[in-house]
Amino acid sequence: MKSDNKIKVAFVCVHNSCRSQIAEALAKKFASDVFDVYSAGTEIKDHINPDAVRLMKVLHDIDMEENQYNKLIEDIPTPDVIVTMGCNVTCPHIPGAETEDWGLEDPSGQADEIFIDTIKTIEKKVNELKERKATR
């Protein structure tokens, strides 16, 4: 499938430092044949959450700091689908973009088990999104 035919998916969180970054990394790993994937925030922090970085290396052998960085929604291409992570983010209205909210609690500052559960939930949701969109 040519890149032009891929669905542009943006995972959006307030700070683009944890859940949206995890979703971007997992979607690149599991759904890059269907999606062009981005993550962004309505504000940004200066780094990706270190616990997310560490646990993604352990669970998926993905170094998020290698190819990802914090960015604002206006810094990414116009998406076809916007997935908010559950932080009650008010995203800019993008005409024609589908939106859905995954309702995930922020694991920042919590135990590894909470992070691992969040990563597993995001992985499941990414794969479900891929299945839904690949057949459209």
Side-chain angles (χ1 to χ4, degrees):
M1 186 182 281
K2 292 186 326 196
S3 181
D4 296 324
N5 295 334
K6 289 185 185 179
I7 300 163
K8 289 182 185 73
V9 178
F11 297 100
V12 178
C13 232
V14 173
H15 295 117
N16 186 224
S17 65
C18 189
R19 291 162 292 171
S20 56
Q21 292 282 356
I22 292 167
E24 177 183 354
L26 291 174
K28 284 178 178 174
K29 178 175 180 175
F30 295 113
S32 62
D33 56 329
V34 176
F35 300 146
D36 278 333
V37 181
Y38 308 91
S39 68
T42 52
E43 305 169 22
I44 55 172
K45 288 193 172 182
D46 61 355
H47 63 280
I48 299 173
N49 181 296
D51 291 321
V53 170
R54 176 176 53 82
L55 290 168
M56 285 293 287
K57 282 180 188 172
V58 170
L59 296 172
H60 289 282
D61 197 31
I62 296 172
D63 183 352
M64 293 194 302
E65 293 178 314
E66 187 176 301
N67 296 313
Q68 292 176 223
Y69 59 93
N70 303 80
K71 49 211 161 298
L72 293 168
I73 190 116
E74 52 266 17
D75 297 333
I76 64 171
T78 302
D80 301 307
V81 177
I82 296 173
V83 178
T84 53
M85 304 311 289
C87 32
N88 302 317
V89 176
T90 302
C91 296
H93 175 69
I94 299 173
E98 299 173 35
T99 59
E100 62 182 74
D101 183 76
W102 285 358
L104 302 171
E105 293 293 321
D106 186 357
S108 296
Q110 300 199 45
D112 282 2
E113 294 76 26
I114 303 294
F115 262 93
I116 291 167
D117 286 348
T118 300
I119 291 168
K120 287 179 179 178
T121 299
I122 292 171
E123 179 179 346
K124 180 178 178 248
K125 288 183 169 291
V126 161
N127 284 313
E128 289 170 352
L129 181 65
K130 177 183 176 180
E131 289 301 314
R132 280 188 282 129
K133 297 303 177 186
T135 58
R136 75 173 202 176

